[in-house]
Amino acid sequence: MSNQVKIMFNFHSVIFDEQMVETVWADEIDKEKGLYKIDNIPFYIPLVASEDIVIAEFDETEQMLTYRKTYEYSGRTVVQVVIMDKTKKTNTIRDIFYKLGCESEKANEGYFSMEIPSDLNYKPIKKELDRMENSEIIGYAEPTISDKHRAEGYN
């Protein structure tokens, strides 16, 4: 059984144009080498997805494990979704993408972050995201998009 730890990410958010901090759960892979596998979907962190293996070390200033770099990418894509149409419930929108094979975590009513597993075709998901955005139901961003999903979603 693996050890669960919290890892702090300190990053500049393009969306908010400010320095931000977010913590995620991770499984200890090799403490000596500082290797940890991300165990939840990040809400705001760019370029990181669950199942990515990262290098983190204890930061004396922060007094916690702190992200240093990504060691191995999982191939998952993260999409951040904002509900623009306030008559729509966040969980209703999440359910639509769940049926397409996406997992998600709700930050609050009106915002969630979802992941597309590496083995899933991104094209139908991207099509639904675009349809909902064009209908002004949602707005979305792709802070972490795998090469495979980029090729599928934009062709």
Side-chain angles (χ1 to χ4, degrees):
M1 178 124 176
S2 65
N3 250 348
Q4 281 244 302
V5 296
K6 279 270 195 177
I7 297 177
M8 184 187 85
F9 285 73
N10 193 333
F11 59 96
H12 181 80
S13 169
V14 177
I15 295 168
F16 296 103
D17 193 27
E18 65 183 53
Q19 203 62 20
M20 292 184 69
V21 171
E22 181 177 347
T23 59
V24 297
W25 286 104
D27 293 319
E28 189 178 283
I29 303 293
D30 186 332
K31 188 175 182 176
E32 203 170 285
K33 292 181 180 174
L35 297 176
Y36 302 88
K37 183 188 263 190
I38 303 299
D39 191 41
N40 65 282
I41 303 169
F43 285 119
Y44 302 105
I45 305 165
L47 307 176
V48 174
S50 70
E51 297 189 17
D52 284 0
I53 296 174
V54 300
I55 296 174
E57 59 188 18
F58 187 80
D59 186 292
E60 289 295 332
T61 307
E62 301 295 345
Q63 286 295 297
M64 71 181 302
L65 273 175
T66 304
Y67 169 83
R68 296 300 180 220
K69 68 180 186 176
T70 301
Y71 180 78
E72 184 179 298
Y73 293 97
S74 64
R76 291 172 163 249
T77 290
V78 176
V79 178
Q80 299 165 335
V81 180
V82 176
I83 311 300
M84 307 304 279
D85 180 344
K86 299 306 176 199
T87 67
K88 306 288 187 205
K89 291 286 182 208
T90 302
N91 286 342
T92 304
I93 303 296
R94 288 175 66 205
D95 286 345
I96 292 166
F97 291 102
Y98 179 78
K99 288 175 183 154
L100 292 172
C102 304
E103 297 173 21
S104 64
E105 291 193 25
K106 178 177 163 181
N108 52 48
E109 192 56 46
Y111 180 82
F112 67 94
S113 190
M114 75 174 177
E115 262 186 357
I116 296 89
S118 56
D119 60 349
L120 205 60
N121 185 334
Y122 188 45
K123 195 166 199 139
I125 297 155
K126 176 79 172 153
K127 188 176 177 179
E128 184 62 17
L129 285 165
D130 289 342
R131 184 193 71 75
M132 287 184 160
E133 187 172 60
N134 291 335
S135 300
E136 298 182 359
I137 297 168
I138 66 165
Y140 76 94
E142 301 162 308
T144 306
I145 184 163
S146 72
D147 291 340
K148 175 187 177 286
H149 289 149
R150 180 175 282 113
E152 292 169 349
Y154 294 92
N155 290 334

